[in-house]
Amino acid sequence: MLLFKTYRFDEIDEINPIVGKSNLYLTSQALAQSFRGPIPFEEKYRWQFARKILTFLSRCDWRMYTNESTELSISQKELIEVFGQKYTLYTNWLKDREVVTPVMKNGKAYDKEAGICKSWQFYKKYTQDTKSLVVFTETRGKRVVEFTKDKEYDPRLIETIRNVEINILDAIYAEREYCGLDTKRLHHRINSIFSLWDRRWISKGGKVDRIYHSLSGLSRVTREFLHLDGVRFNHVDVVNCQPLLLAALVKKNGLEVDIEYLQDCQDGEFYEKFLDLGYTRDEAKVQLYKNIFFGIKEDSGVAVRFQKLYPKTWMSINILREGLACRLQNLEAEIFVSITPSRSKGWWPLHDAIYFTDMRDREEIVERLVENFAVYDIRPTFK
């Protein structure tokens, strides 16, 4: 007996009584139908097989969306983490259904000497297919949420990540209204919501001091619907934080920053300087992250404008360009990670913001952030 059902994504209004009460995934329509066909295990393991495949693909979908690439490096360690030692049975099943295939480089799929992970190319047949909802029924018993952490953290942070809940239908409808016709963005965001159902985690970044967790990949729209025992979260968010961190990094290394750059960042007007390139504010922010903060691309439109507006800062960041993204993230962690709300029952950090349940903590958080930025003679503003 199948322990899951499939629906078209546009049927979500019709099945809303079970949304939030069952484990859901959003995936390719063709793949959803394939779960009813042959699998490399006994019938009694069909539901486990399907869930492992969908868990793996939801992680890959998130990476493809954020990296803007359908080719990913996926290590053997990652495959074993999801599928176990028999991971080739799963990857071969996916290859046979034209979901993903290994990419050969220099005649090899994996180069041990060069330390290159196996690269996988996802087929358009999978990435561009109509989406289906795969809904697992509740017949397996009580919901179990797996929780993992790589080290000890503040107990309240652990309990928040472990126990935070979401008004899932409200979040889905809000995302649908926000994304409009951008179905790629919508599907990515909804899968991020579904991922909270049965797995929660906290870990420190591998190359940076950032703290990552189950809520890191949720959009600003979805975060509004999170709660802990019915209590919504407040947050302190630094306006133009990434540009301010860039200024702090330059100053920390004894280099020059344009007065105009600092003023625009501190006044919350930095991104607005790029809108006449044809971008909305959100689009300008994405372009600046891709072409400046996450790696300098001199020929991009925003980089050319940046150089013209802020020549001293441009020269400074080019001196620091090697590993710039990691440098910025480590400085961000230096400023934010040490701040722990004192009264809130629940709280969690989100890179350049802090979420908390007790509004009385706001003043203390703001004071600490002002102090931490003042080390670099920078005045942040908040929202």
Side-chain angles (χ1 to χ4, degrees):
M1 175 182 174
L2 285 174
L3 294 174
F4 54 85
K5 298 179 180 179
T6 59
Y7 302 86
R8 297 191 317 273
F9 178 63
D10 58 12
E11 292 181 301
I12 194 165
D13 296 306
E14 300 171 29
I15 66 167
N16 64 35
I18 63 174
V19 175
K21 299 178 182 178
S22 300
N23 194 189
L24 293 90
Y25 295 87
L26 194 60
T27 194
S28 152
Q29 188 174 74
L31 183 69
Q33 294 303 317
S34 293
F35 289 130
R36 301 178 182 277
I39 64 169
F41 295 96
E42 295 178 44
E43 180 62 28
K44 63 181 179 180
Y45 297 117
R46 182 177 294 274
W47 74 278
Q48 295 161 308
F49 174 81
R51 285 184 65 175
K52 286 183 178 181
I53 290 284
L54 290 167
T55 296
F56 170 71
L57 290 177
S58 67
R59 296 184 190 182
C60 293
D61 289 343
W62 180 80
R63 288 174 60 186
M64 283 190 283
Y65 178 81
T66 54
N67 296 345
E68 296 186 334
S69 173
T70 55
E71 183 178 325
L72 299 177
S73 290
I74 304 172
S75 68
Q76 183 185 55
K77 180 181 178 182
E78 292 176 88
L79 294 173
I80 292 174
E81 180 187 339
V82 179
F83 298 129
Q85 293 295 333
K86 296 182 178 180
Y87 66 88
T88 55
L89 295 176
Y90 295 86
T91 55
N92 286 337
W93 188 87
L94 288 169
K95 284 189 289 183
D96 291 344
R97 281 144 191 84
E98 295 185 346
V99 174
V100 65
T101 188
V103 177
M104 304 299 286
K105 296 183 183 296
N106 299 321
K108 299 179 180 179
Y110 175 73
D111 188 337
K112 188 172 183 179
E113 290 184 6
I116 299 172
C117 294
K118 186 175 286 187
S119 290
W120 296 83
Q121 176 67 53
F122 285 79
Y123 288 97
K124 287 184 179 180
K125 178 180 177 181
Y126 168 74
T127 60
Q128 298 182 8
D129 191 17
T130 303
K131 299 300 180 184
S132 283
L133 281 166
V134 179
V135 182
F136 287 85
T137 67
E138 287 294 277
T139 55
R140 297 301 302 183
K142 185 179 178 181
R143 172 188 176 193
V144 176
V145 179
E146 174 193 354
F147 177 80
T148 59
K149 63 184 190 298
D150 63 337
K151 65 174 188 175
E152 291 304 318
Y153 295 92
D154 180 89
R156 290 174 300 149
L157 172 59
I158 292 174
E159 290 305 304
T160 300
I161 300 302
R162 190 197 296 268
N163 298 315
V164 67
E165 292 292 350
I166 183 171
N167 297 332
I168 187 168
L169 272 174
D170 291 340
I172 290 172
Y173 292 142
E175 290 288 11
R176 193 161 62 179
E177 181 178 352
Y178 179 82
C179 294
L181 297 176
D182 189 347
T183 55
K184 185 176 180 181
R185 172 186 282 189
L186 177 63
H187 295 157
H188 157 70
R189 289 177 173 220
I190 288 177
N191 253 340
S192 294
I193 295 171
F194 292 161
S195 71
L196 294 176
W197 175 258
D198 61 357
R199 181 175 181 264
R200 306 290 177 84
W201 55 273
I202 311 175
S203 69
K204 178 182 170 296
K207 296 181 179 179
V208 297
D209 295 329
R210 267 183 172 182
I211 294 175
Y212 295 91
H213 46 70
S214 305
L215 310 182
S216 299
L218 299 179
S219 75
R220 182 181 68 252
V221 174
T222 291
R223 293 196 296 267
E224 293 299 316
F225 298 95
L226 295 171
H227 63 88
L228 188 66
D229 297 329
V231 179
R232 295 283 186 91
F233 290 89
N234 308 289
H235 70 276
V236 170
D237 197 350
V238 176
V239 177
N240 287 352
C241 188
Q242 203 68 23
L244 284 176
L245 288 170
L246 187 68
L249 181 66
V250 169
K251 287 183 165 225
K252 184 177 183 178
N253 285 274
L255 301 171
E256 286 190 281
V257 181
D258 298 272
I259 295 174
E260 295 82 3
Y261 179 82
L262 269 179
Q263 184 173 334
D264 288 343
C265 294
Q266 292 177 156
D267 292 345
E269 297 178 355
F270 172 72
Y271 295 114
E272 283 69 15
K273 300 296 181 180
F274 299 85
L275 302 189
D276 63 343
L277 296 177
Y279 301 121
T280 64
R281 190 181 189 278
D282 283 348
E283 289 169 343
K285 188 173 182 179
V286 169
Q287 290 299 317
L288 283 155
Y289 271 68
K290 285 172 54 178
N291 297 294
I292 300 290
F293 304 126
F294 289 171
I296 299 171
K297 298 180 178 63
E298 294 92 340
D299 296 334
S300 63
V302 289
V304 172
R305 172 61 59 84
F306 190 105
Q307 183 177 4
K308 182 178 179 181
L309 289 172
Y310 315 116
K312 293 179 182 177
T313 311
W314 175 258
M315 290 180 64
S316 296
I317 64 175
N318 271 278
I319 294 172
L320 301 172
R321 66 185 300 157
E322 185 175 347
L324 181 61
C326 290
R327 292 171 187 251
L328 288 170
Q329 290 172 17
N330 282 330
L331 183 56
E332 172 194 275
E334 181 183 310
I335 291 174
F336 282 85
V337 168
S338 63
I339 299 175
T340 304
S342 59
R343 298 181 179 89
S344 292
K345 178 181 178 181
W347 74 279
W348 45 282
L350 182 68
H351 308 327
D352 56 5
I354 298 173
Y355 283 72
F356 53 98
T357 53
D358 194 324
M359 192 61 181
R360 292 176 297 174
D361 282 324
R362 179 180 174 84
E363 184 177 351
E364 178 187 352
I365 292 170
V366 168
E367 287 178 358
R368 289 285 308 280
L369 287 170
V370 168
E371 290 173 4
N372 290 350
F373 273 102
V375 172
Y376 307 102
D377 195 24
I378 290 175
R379 171 184 52 81
T381 54
F382 304 91
K383 60 181 178 182

